[in-house]
């Protein structure tokens, strides 16, 4: 994998050519003040929202202090706001390559659906994937370190669609041929995939031949697609053909060893077909709940105890927490009375 392959998968590089088969989106080049904000360390501070009332006398002192730290990029902020409106009021955000998928837990609605600029900034500032785009986009490239490339950073806002995750697939392309297709969310078992495996595969192959095979700038790449409804495939994203992209139900060993022919059916060590994972032609999918793998996004979640406390789901934890609070207050008031 070379830097040029990564650059060809940058959103603004592929979108103009394939927008007729993708989700409506806008690309906003990041000005320096916004880029500085994304790069800045320290505690997370969101820009002041339009509804903040800074004329309130009681808050003047506090506001002056806050203003020193509050990020300020009013021009870009109003562009983001207008673009959200233009795209129907709800958007899915990403930077040049990555969405803040690992930060979903921090959003108030527990999703990447953003309806105002601050929703977007909160996700971007909380995501390690976005930081990776900003700090080492070419890591893993054979020519990383040679001829440094100045990346023009961009905020991508995509019209929010209610994507049905069981209808998303990742397509592995080598020498302009599909060598494998994997269900995109491999930590779930979707019974409909097994029922529709022949149609799904055929439609993806037809779509690839008609729109992508001869036009994408590289011979090797990975394409994410969404089967929105029968005979309607959309491109969600392109990713470089290399270890930085998750091989999902495949392994990089298999993909590299395939010698441009479709990857064979997976076998367990004892030579039997892998439990719970099936392959029909090019399409690999989870056939039963035995094939479900752990969800890597759970690594990024808030600890379960916090979630239970927040939702009040576990009464015993709430009681323990209140008792701890009480003890600490008693201790503090005891200290003060000394
Ligand atoms: N416009 C949208 N509206 C709603 N959900 C979306 C939209 N675009 C993408 N998604 C959802 O978010 C997921 C991740 O999107 P995308 O592939 O663009 O992110 P990514 O960061 O490039 O992921 P990866 O690191 O796997 O390449 C998709 O699989 C899809 O479920
Ligand atoms: Mg991607």
């Amino acid at each position: 994998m070379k830097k040029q392959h990564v650059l060809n998968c940058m959103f603004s590089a592929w979108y103009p050519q394939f927008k007729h088969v993708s989700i409506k989106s806008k690309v906003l080049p990041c000005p320096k003040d916004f880029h500085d904000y994304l790069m800045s360390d320290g505690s997370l501070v969101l820009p002041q929202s339009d509804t903040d009332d800074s004329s309130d006398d009681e808050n003047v002192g506090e506001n002056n202090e806050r203003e020193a730290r509050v990020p300020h990029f009013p021009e870009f902020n109003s562009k983001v706001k207008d673009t959200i409106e233009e795209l129907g009021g709800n958007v899915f955000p990403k930077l040049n390559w990555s969405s803040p998928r690992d930060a979903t837990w921090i959003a108030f609605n527990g999703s990447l659906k953003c309806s105002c600029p601050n929703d977007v900034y909160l996700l971007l500032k909380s995501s390690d994937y976005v930081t990776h785009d900003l700090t080492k986009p070419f890591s893993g490239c054979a020519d990383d370190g040679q001829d440094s490339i100045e990346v023009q950073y961009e905020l991508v806002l995509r019209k929010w669609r209610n994507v049905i995750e069981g209808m998303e697939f990742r397509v592995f392309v080598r020498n302009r041929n599909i060598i494998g297709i994997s269900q995109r969310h491999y930590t779930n078992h979707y019974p409909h995939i097994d029922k529709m495996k022949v149609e799904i595969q055929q439609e993806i192959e037809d779509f690839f031949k008609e729109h992508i095979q001869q036009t994408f700038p590289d011979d090797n790449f990975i394409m994410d697609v969404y089967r929105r409804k029968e005979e309607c495939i959309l491109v969600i994203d392109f990713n470089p053909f290399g270890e930085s992209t998750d091989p999902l139900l495949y392994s990089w060993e298999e993909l590299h060893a395939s010698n441009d022919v479709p990857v064979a059916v997976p076998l367990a060590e004892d030579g039997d077909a892998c439990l719970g994972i099936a392959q029909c032609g090019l399409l690999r999918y989870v056939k039963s709940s035995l094939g479900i793998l752990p969800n890597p996004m759970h690594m990024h979640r808030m600890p379960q105890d916090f979630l239970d406390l927040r939702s009040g789901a576990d009464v015993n934890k709430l009681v323990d927490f209140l008792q701890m609070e009480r003890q600490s207050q008693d201790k503090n008031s005891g200290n003060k009375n000394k």
Side-chain angles (χ1 to χ4, degrees), residues 299-317:
M299 258 170 43
H300 303 286
R301 283 199 314 193
M302 221 185 274
Q304 192 60 41
D305 283 349
F306 282 89
L307 293 175
D308 289 344
L309 277 175
R310 195 171 68 164
S311 65
D314 187 331
V315 178
N316 292 328
K317 278 183 194 162

Side-chain angles (χ1 to χ4, degrees), residues 23 92 94 97-99 101 158-161 163 168 170 184-185 224 236-237 239:
I23 297 176
F92 172 92
K94 64 190 293 187
W97 296 275
S98 301
S99 68
R101 289 187 300 126
R158 316 202 69 186
K159 187 180 173 67
W160 181 265
R161 284 284 184 94
V163 174
E168 288 188 84
R170 179 160 277 185
R184 174 80 178 82
H185 300 273
D224 292 331
I236 297 285
D237 196 19
N239 308 286

Side-chain angles (χ1 to χ4, degrees), residues 10-30:
M10 195 162 88
F11 190 84
S12 59
W14 65 261
Y15 182 71
Q17 195 178 0
F18 298 107
K19 65 178 174 195
H20 61 295
V21 284
S22 191
I23 297 176
K24 186 172 177 191
S25 309
K26 294 276 169 195
V27 177
L28 305 181
C30 300

